Every structure is written in structure tokens, then in C-alpha cells.
Amino acid sequence: MAAETAVPASQAPKKAKIPIGLIAGILVMIGVLMMPLPADLPVAGHRMLAILAFAVVVWITEAVSYEASAIMITTLMAFLLGTAPTIKDPNVLYGTSAAISMALTGFANSALALVTGALFIAAAMTFTGLDRRIALVTLSKVGTSTRRILIGCIAVTIVLSLVVPSATARSAAVVPIMMGVIAAFGVDKRSNIAAGIMIIVAQATSIWNVGIQTAAAQNLLTVGFMEKMLGERVAWSDWLIAGAPWSLIMSAVLIVIVLKLLPPESNSIAGGKEAVEKSLLDLGPMTGAQKRLMAVSIMLLLFWSTEGKLHKFDTTSTTYFGLVLLMLPRFGVMTWKDVQSRIPWGTVIVFGVGISLGTALLTTQAGQWLGNQVVQHTGLDHLGPLAIFAILAAFLIVIHLGFASATALTSAMLPILISVLATLPGEFSRLGMTMLLGFVVSYGFILPINAPQNMVCLGTETFNAKQFAKVGIIVTIVGYLLMLLMGMTYWRWLGWL
């Protein structure tokens, strides 16, 4: 019998180490569990705060994937809540069956259904190539000067934000096109022109996540928390009226900042428009599928924008009606097999668990207790609505630096902030304040890691993290000050603050 060949130690497979962030999350959770139980906090609420602490540490450190963390959180809720006494009767335990049901309540939320529907529409755009055609047509309408190209980037972002309800999908569609334009210009990939274009693609995507409710998953999660915790939500058109003016102003500010900090090597570039038109020509005429998808997209925009004005159909229901049309035999543009591989199912899982986490914090009275503690120890109850918004918005901006996902940030923090708002005295719109804080969740301007679209653009190697941060810090400061100004005027006139 032949002797076995020894494997050199250097070639032996290395054992995977347990991530430090996961260990830290477990230790933090145990630390919270070992703290003395406050008299006004139920045992279940105490355990939910421990689970929240674990989630925040794991999300900030990215110790495991968001999908894996979602499964861990669900399991922790099943066992820690399952062995805790109920709120109604302390002599009765929840039981793991009731606890796991609580951990999965988010999957029965209409906001999750809307996110899933939005991801299908984004997949249909990619599958048919309509997103690429829209971007190229928009770019073909601008000139070849550097400033016009930058304006064209903004215009593409705005148009796609209306019809492609996924920030990552939009950036993934636009980046290859803009890289083609950069190559056609004949400029160096590390030039200020190339850096400016790509930074604008990333930053403008985040800016328009604020202006359009269906542009980003975190907005839809915010709407879900509104329905669950406040019993009402902001309509698509009302969100647009409130947020779009800020996004328009910040789009102009972004162009000015980029031109100032990254002055282009040339003010006029030959061949750019011709390159875009050639790419359009290569696409050929619009296909039947693209025409039908465009028609359905326009129909959905009309339904979304007139909700509560011309009809009472909610955004989720109309979106699913559009999906039915898109998947109908003969008329439709896709089948399940066509798009299932294009759907980021992990996003759906994280979203559902995020809603469950927020709902459980409320159900176990952990959110209300934490809200009371924040109010008692910060003096927020002695401040006016604008000052409250200023402090909570600044808090979200700073803490976002530690999060790589606005959805995770929303899941962790928004239920707590809504509980804080519910605890505060005074007459102001809790719904409006929640929407405005939802705007601030999209402030992923400073670090490339703070948003998926930033990382997509960083992958082009046209700019570095330092250049991105230089632009992003100014965008953040100006955007924050502009929100305070609008809070004193426009949003107050609308009755949101």
C-alpha cells in the first residue's frame, strides 16, 4: 500500500478564526444581561436590549455577513425571549414558539413586501437593459464640457432614482457607462475629471435617496416603522415634496464642491457625446420588453405620486400590481427564473429581521424604557422641535460612520428614536420628525464603507478614500445646515416639524 504523502505545514488549510467583532458582540450582550434589572424594565425588555447591543456591535464591526447576523438575532430572540416572562403575566413564559413568531413578525410587514417588489423591478431594469438605455439617453442630452458631464451624472441619478428602487442597482448600472465615457474622453483614470465623475455618481445616489421614498431600502424600512409604531405613514408624494427640494439644492452644491476640490484638467472634452451616442446606437432600437417595462414604470410613478390624492391604493399594492403585469405571459418582460438570481435575497432577510427587532423592542417595552432614559438624561424634553431634530440628526450622522449599511442603522436606531419622540412632551409632528430623521439615515457621504454605492464607485479606482472624504465632509456639513434651515422654514410650513 502506498504511503500517504505528508502535506507541508505551510500548505495545510488554516482554521478560520472567530471574528473579534463577534466575540465582542457576545461579551457586550452578556454584560448587558448581567446588569441589575431596573424596576421599570420588564425582563423581556432587558433581554431585548442585550440582543440590540449584540446586533449593533456585530453590524458596526461587520464580524459576519448581515444575512448571518440576521439569523443569529432571530435565534437569540427565540431563546432569550422564549425563556422570559410575558409582559401581561410575569408568571407565564413566552415560550420559544411565541418568541420565534415575534422574531419573524417583520416578514409579514407590508414594508418588506414593498422592498421585495422594488428589488424585482430593479432586477427587471437590469434584465431588459432599460436602466442602461435611460442613463445613455439622459447623458446624450448634455454637452461635452466637464460641467455639463457632471450635470449629466446628476440627471442620470435623478431619473434612475424614480424608476430603479435600489441604490446599489442604480450605481451598478451607471458606473460601467461612466467608465466608458471616461475612456472615450481619453483622460487618465486617476485624473480629477474621472474622480469627480465617480464621486458624483456615489454622492448623488445618496442625496437622492433622501428625496424619493422608493429610492432606497432604508426609506421603506422607515415607512414600516412608521406604520408599526405610529400607526400612520408618509405618502410617496408627501415625501417627495418634503425631500426633493433638499436633494435639488444639494445636487447643485455637490457639483460646486467637486469642481472646487477636484478642478478638472480641461473644461472641454472632445468625443464624449459621440461616445455616448455610439453606445446608444450599439444598443439598437428599444425592444418590446423595454417599452412595456417603461410603460409599467410610468404607471407606477403615477400611482405612487397620486396616492391619497386621486386614489386610496397604497404603494405596496400598486407595486405588486405592476409586478403582475411584468410577469404575465406574453405581455410580461421576465419570468421567475430570469430574475431570481438577480434578487439580493439577503437584503430581504436583513430587512425582515430589522423590522422584527424594532417591533420586539416596542412589544417588550424596551424601546419605551430606553426612550425615557434618553429624555431624562439629555434634557431633550426642555427643547423645541428644531433643537430636538438638530441633536438627533447630529447623533445619526456621527454614528453612521460606524455602519456600512443604512438599513442596519435604521433597524438599530430608528425604533429607539421613535420611542424617544413618543416620550417627549409638546406639540409637534412625530410622523414628520420620523421622516426627517429617515432623511438623515442616508448621510453616507464621508467614508466609502458607509454605503454600498460608495464601494461600487471606489472599485473603479478613479479616486481614493481621502478624496472621497474631502468632498463628503463638506457635503455632510452643508447638508446638515441646510436641513436645519429648512426645518426653520419650509418643513415647518408644511407641518412636519
Side-chain angles (χ1 to χ4, degrees), residues 4 36 44 48 84-85 95 115 153 177 198 250 257 286 313 399 434:
E4 293 183 0
M48 272 310 304
V115 167
C153 291
I177 296 170
M198 280 303 158
M250 287 307 299
I257 293 171
M286 280 189 77
F313 303 126
I399 201 170
T434 301

Side-chain angles (χ1 to χ4, degrees), residues 202 206 400 403-406 442 444-445 447-456:
S206 294
H400 197 163
F403 280 84
S405 166
S442 292
F445 301 121
L447 300 177
I449 193 69
N450 288 152
Q453 61 267 22
N454 299 353
M455 296 303 294
V456 171

Side-chain angles (χ1 to χ4, degrees), residues 177-250:
I177 296 170
M178 298 315 302
M179 286 303 292
V181 171
I182 290 168
F185 288 167
V187 297
D188 187 81
K189 196 167 78 165
R190 295 309 297 262
S191 65
N192 283 352
I193 292 174
I197 288 174
M198 280 303 158
I199 287 175
I200 278 186
V201 170
Q203 303 283 29
T205 300
S206 294
I207 285 173
W208 280 93
N209 282 349
V210 172
I212 299 171
Q213 187 184 93
T214 48
Q218 63 265 24
N219 296 350
L220 305 180
L221 185 54
T222 299
V223 171
F225 283 136
M226 286 176 177
E227 288 183 321
K228 203 75 178 178
M229 300 181 72
L230 299 173
E232 55 183 334
R233 63 183 180 86
V234 176
W236 189 93
S237 57
D238 291 332
W239 186 296
L240 184 75
I241 291 169
W246 181 91
S247 295
L248 280 171
I249 295 170
M250 287 307 299

Side-chain angles (χ1 to χ4, degrees), residues 24-67:
I26 294 171
L27 291 176
V28 168
M29 179 178 66
I30 293 172
V32 174
L33 288 172
M34 293 180 68
M35 288 181 178
L37 180 67
D40 54 345
L41 178 64
V43 173
H46 186 203
R47 295 186 180 183
M48 272 310 304
L49 290 180
I51 295 171
L52 175 65
F54 168 82
V56 170
V57 172
V58 169
W59 285 337
I60 287 178
T61 60
E62 293 190 279
V64 295
S65 67
Y66 287 107
E67 296 84 354

Side-chain angles (χ1 to χ4, degrees), residues 86-266:
T86 62
I87 303 296
K88 291 182 179 179
D89 187 355
N91 295 315
V92 178
L93 300 182
Y94 277 104
T96 52
S97 178
I100 195 72
S101 296
M102 193 185 301
L104 297 175
T105 52
F107 292 92
N109 190 281
S110 62
L112 177 71
L114 180 55
V115 167
T116 308
L119 291 175
F120 267 92
I121 293 173
M125 286 281 175
T126 306
F127 176 69
T128 61
L130 182 59
D131 53 354
R132 178 174 172 81
R133 183 178 294 277
I134 290 172
L136 286 170
V137 168
T138 306
L139 282 174
S140 70
K141 303 302 180 184
V142 302
T144 56
S145 71
T146 306
R147 184 168 300 188
R148 283 182 174 271
I149 291 297
L150 296 182
I151 292 172
C153 291
I154 298 283
V156 167
T157 302
I158 295 172
V159 174
L160 289 181
S161 294
L162 288 167
V163 294
V164 183
S166 167
T168 308
R170 291 198 302 276
S171 57
V174 173
V175 163
I177 296 170
M178 298 315 302
M179 286 303 292
V181 171
I182 290 168
F185 288 167
V187 297
D188 187 81
K189 196 167 78 165
R190 295 309 297 262
S191 65
N192 283 352
I193 292 174
I197 288 174
M198 280 303 158
I199 287 175
I200 278 186
V201 170
Q203 303 283 29
T205 300
S206 294
I207 285 173
W208 280 93
N209 282 349
V210 172
I212 299 171
Q213 187 184 93
T214 48
Q218 63 265 24
N219 296 350
L220 305 180
L221 185 54
T222 299
V223 171
F225 283 136
M226 286 176 177
E227 288 183 321
K228 203 75 178 178
M229 300 181 72
L230 299 173
E232 55 183 334
R233 63 183 180 86
V234 176
W236 189 93
S237 57
D238 291 332
W239 186 296
L240 184 75
I241 291 169
W246 181 91
S247 295
L248 280 171
I249 295 170
M250 287 307 299
S251 295
V253 169
L254 176 62
I255 291 176
V256 172
I257 293 171
V258 168
L259 288 173
K260 187 72 175 175
L261 295 183
L262 298 167
E265 292 82 359
S266 172

